[in-house]
Amino acid sequence: MRTKCYWLVLLPLLGNALGCAGNNPDVRVRRLPDGRLQVDGPLAGPYDTLEELAEKSCDIMTRQPGAANGPYGFEYCALYYYAREENAYFLSYLSDIRGSWAPLVKSCTLPNSLNDPAHSNIVLLGGTHTHPNNREFSPRDLSAAAHWKPVRFFDTSTGKVWDRHLMVFFREKTGECRAYSYNNSTRIVSALRKGTWVPIGEVYHELGYIRLYEGKDWLP
């Protein structure tokens, strides 16, 4: 079912932009009465592992209109989560609502609420977003202020300790999709390479400064 469009006032300094599903069936976002952004789910899944979810989500999200258009593109955001009843991972529908720094900074506002009637027993694990012209996390992405708290928690239903991650996706001009993950708890940044998360660096400052490991970089 198509959700309503939500129009936000475009302020010269804050740069809020409209978020509207329009003709894109993959965008389903609404603003709740308390101000939070909610997306529907699932857009994709089930996936058996986070690695598979990241690989598939990278392809889905970076193929959206404008997602890989370099300096002329813009970002999409989504949530990813674990459904206890299926023992599987899912990607939510997308949000295209611009962040507060737009248009000076290409960004989208990460949703923090999920509507998935098909899965009532879920664990929200974190967010994902695309970068149109930069494969690296920004300092704002990695800052302590952007952490989704609690960054680590114990789930009694699964008996697991979960860390929350932020993932970013970037499509190269060659067509290859790059997926990166930032563990909010350990502050380690990893790159998905050949189906495996490879740690490439760690964040050492609350403002999001990253130190790459020796011999590691954003590209293999």
Side-chain angles (χ1 to χ4, degrees):
M1 180 178 179
R2 184 65 57 84
T3 58
K4 296 180 179 179
C5 298
Y6 285 83
W7 296 77
L8 304 180
V9 177
L10 181 62
L11 300 178
L13 296 179
L14 295 181
N16 287 324
L18 61 89
C20 173
N23 295 321
N24 187 343
D26 292 343
V27 175
R28 295 189 186 181
V29 58
R30 65 186 62 83
R31 189 171 292 279
L32 300 176
D34 61 7
R36 293 182 300 156
L37 292 180
Q38 183 183 74
V39 285
D40 290 337
L43 170 62
Y47 302 121
D48 292 332
T49 65
L50 278 174
E51 290 83 358
E52 185 183 7
L53 177 138
E55 182 178 5
K56 301 295 186 180
S57 299
C58 185
D59 183 65
I60 292 170
M61 294 183 66
T62 60
R63 290 189 183 278
Q64 300 297 320
N69 285 12
Y72 302 102
F74 50 87
E75 294 187 3
Y76 292 87
C77 285
L79 299 177
Y80 73 95
Y81 54 102
Y82 176 85
R84 299 179 180 95
E85 58 265 52
E86 292 193 38
N87 190 28
Y89 299 91
F90 293 85
L91 175 73
S92 77
Y93 281 88
L94 312 181
S95 170
D96 60 356
I97 294 181
R98 304 279 74 83
S100 61
W101 288 88
L104 299 178
V105 177
K106 298 179 186 304
S107 64
C108 63
T109 301
L110 191 68
N112 50 16
S113 177
L114 175 72
N115 173 47
D116 182 355
H119 301 98
S120 59
N121 199 8
I122 66 168
V123 182
L124 272 177
L125 296 176
T128 70
H129 68 284
T130 58
H131 277 183
N133 64 339
N134 188 350
R135 68 179 62 86
E136 304 176 13
F137 281 106
S138 69
R140 293 182 68 241
D141 290 333
L142 303 177
S143 67
H147 287 172
W148 190 330
K149 296 179 176 61
V151 296
R152 174 174 287 177
F153 60 95
F154 176 73
D155 177 52
T156 56
S157 296
T158 59
K160 295 181 180 180
V161 175
W162 299 91
D163 288 355
R164 283 205 165 97
H165 295 74
L166 175 67
M167 292 191 284
V168 67
F169 305 133
F170 173 77
R171 186 172 293 276
E172 303 282 356
K173 292 181 179 180
T174 58
E176 184 176 0
C177 202
R178 307 281 183 188
Y180 302 92
S181 175
Y182 172 49
N183 187 314
N184 287 185
S185 176
T186 65
R187 300 194 177 188
I188 292 176
V189 174
S190 300
L192 186 63
R193 293 173 181 167
K194 296 181 179 180
T196 301
W197 289 114
V198 177
I200 62 172
E202 60 183 72
V203 175
Y204 65 91
H205 193 281
E206 290 190 354
L207 292 181
Y209 303 149
I210 183 174
R211 180 185 295 112
L212 294 176
Y213 295 140
E214 185 176 355
K216 301 295 183 182
D217 209 331
W218 296 96
L219 290 174

